[in-house]
């Protein structure tokens, strides 16, 4: 199967809810990117994180192996810097070959946890 | 009416929540694909499921009759293999004619169930 | 301002949750279409509702006035037929001029109500 | 990095939930636009708000600085007019250079708060 999707994606509404209720790591509040590499070659991925009040931080670099999906919790990023919790950000995702990106947020700060997901914006520009 | 949509769709953030709270099957935690075939002919559909740590599994094959919508719970797929619960996956959907695909997740592990839905990514590649 | 959007939209994952918890009509479980007509002329809209086990029903006809948004609860449609509750359906929306369509579901069957929304699929086909 | 996205976006399903449960401003019910300007120049943004029963109101004007994301709570808009709570509206977003727009709704009227998010509709028309 060919590498489906696009090489550049954008999440405008990023946020790690500050606090969790329930057993870790299953119920840890998180902001997560699911990245599918359906192609036959490895995808090298770079994230740039944009903030409201300071310059963008990055690149955060990782790989998605051929024919694999990789779920990256923004909470777990540490190099070059751990993104702060409870802070609005946006993410630009660039990959060395086409991938598909979907965002999932779990907010478990109150026992009545809430989840949302949306396909990221595929930016050709 | 013509067959609306596209022949190939992608869900990057798949997951069957491991556990349910409430009467079955109404409140069963699930990951579901809603597939509309608005055309006059039958659509033959194949799913490939991609994982984070092993090769893709499939094809899962089924039909969507002419001018019908079909809701497929990923939980109910068994051939060639039942997808494990609590495990991240992605799905590539290919149909023999244009369809429209939307994902719905119900997470009822805690009584305060949460639901999300997003239109899948229509991949032309 | 010109009429933004497209003339044809699709919702694949439609469903009216069968039951509600909380004061009406604010907390009535519902499946809703928000339709924006940003243009200078009236938009005549037709909905066709597709089911899993019988022929499509429609058209359901209504207008969206110039420069207005209209929120249509699927629960309130009655002519030619009230859609059943707790039943999966898909909707094809056709308008006489470009509009933008977004789906909102409120499931209030349990006090811990859940809401989701997604932009509909803009079908050019 | 270039300015990713598009200059015109549409939200069809806008609404500020009338009431909140929990400490302000973290749990204030809200309808929010996250706008990323990934480019090197300032983006001047104008919002027009469309209603179901009266003429559109606007423009609401603000800036998004170069390489910044800005989260605008519709609740906080006041000039030319504060949008009413509990009222359906749609928003057309126009920017002087490409941006990416995502909607987030938090409904905290009942302690079991619910959140949703969807990428806005990128309108080329």
């Amino acid at each position: 199967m060919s590498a489906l999707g696009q090489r550049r994606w954008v999440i405008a509404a990023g946020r790690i809810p500050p606090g969790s209720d329930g057993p870790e790591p299953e119920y840890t509040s998180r902001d997560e990117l699911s990245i599918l590499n359906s192609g036959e070659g490895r995808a090298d991925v770079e994230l740039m994180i944009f903030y409201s009040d300071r310059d963008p931080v990055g690149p955060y670099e990782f790989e998605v192996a051929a024919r694999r999906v990789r779920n990256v919790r923004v909470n777990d990023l540490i190099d070059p810097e751990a993104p702060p919790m409870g802070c609005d950000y946006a993410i630009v995702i660039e990959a060395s070959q086409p991938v598909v990106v979907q965002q999932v947020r779990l907010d478990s700060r109150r026992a009545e946890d809430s989840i949302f997901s949306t396909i990221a914006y595929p930016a050709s520009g």
Side-chain angles (χ1 to χ4, degrees), chain A:
Chain A
M1 182 176 290
S2 58
L4 300 174
Q6 302 198 215
R7 293 186 53 243
R8 193 178 272 168
W9 295 80
V10 182
I11 295 291
R15 193 159 196 273
I16 306 171
S20 299
D21 178 283
E24 306 267 333
E26 188 62 23
Y27 284 104
T28 308
S29 284
R30 73 195 91 156
D31 206 19
E32 192 171 286
L33 301 177
S34 296
I35 304 172
L36 172 65
N37 173 11
S38 64
E40 299 298 327
R42 187 186 74 194
D44 297 307
V45 179
E46 290 190 355
L47 308 181
M48 287 297 296
I49 304 189
F50 290 76
Y51 292 98
S52 60
D53 53 3
R54 57 183 178 125
D55 282 344
V57 176
Y60 295 84
E61 301 177 325
F62 55 91
E63 301 172 3
V64 184
R67 309 205 301 161
R68 294 291 184 276
V69 63
R70 181 162 179 172
N71 282 46
V72 175
R73 290 193 187 191
V74 179
N75 312 30
D76 294 340
L77 298 174
I78 53 171
D79 180 17
E81 177 191 305
M85 297 176 76
C87 179
D88 295 315
Y89 56 81
I91 304 180
V92 173
I93 300 103
E94 296 205 64
S96 57
Q97 62 172 48
V99 296
V100 177
V101 178
Q102 190 170 346
Q103 176 190 18
V104 179
R105 168 98 48 88
L106 172 67
D107 186 339
S108 69
R109 286 174 296 169
R110 301 207 269 197
E112 313 81 1
D113 55 319
S114 185
I115 191 170
F116 80 73
S117 179
T118 186
I119 282 286
Y121 173 73
S124 56

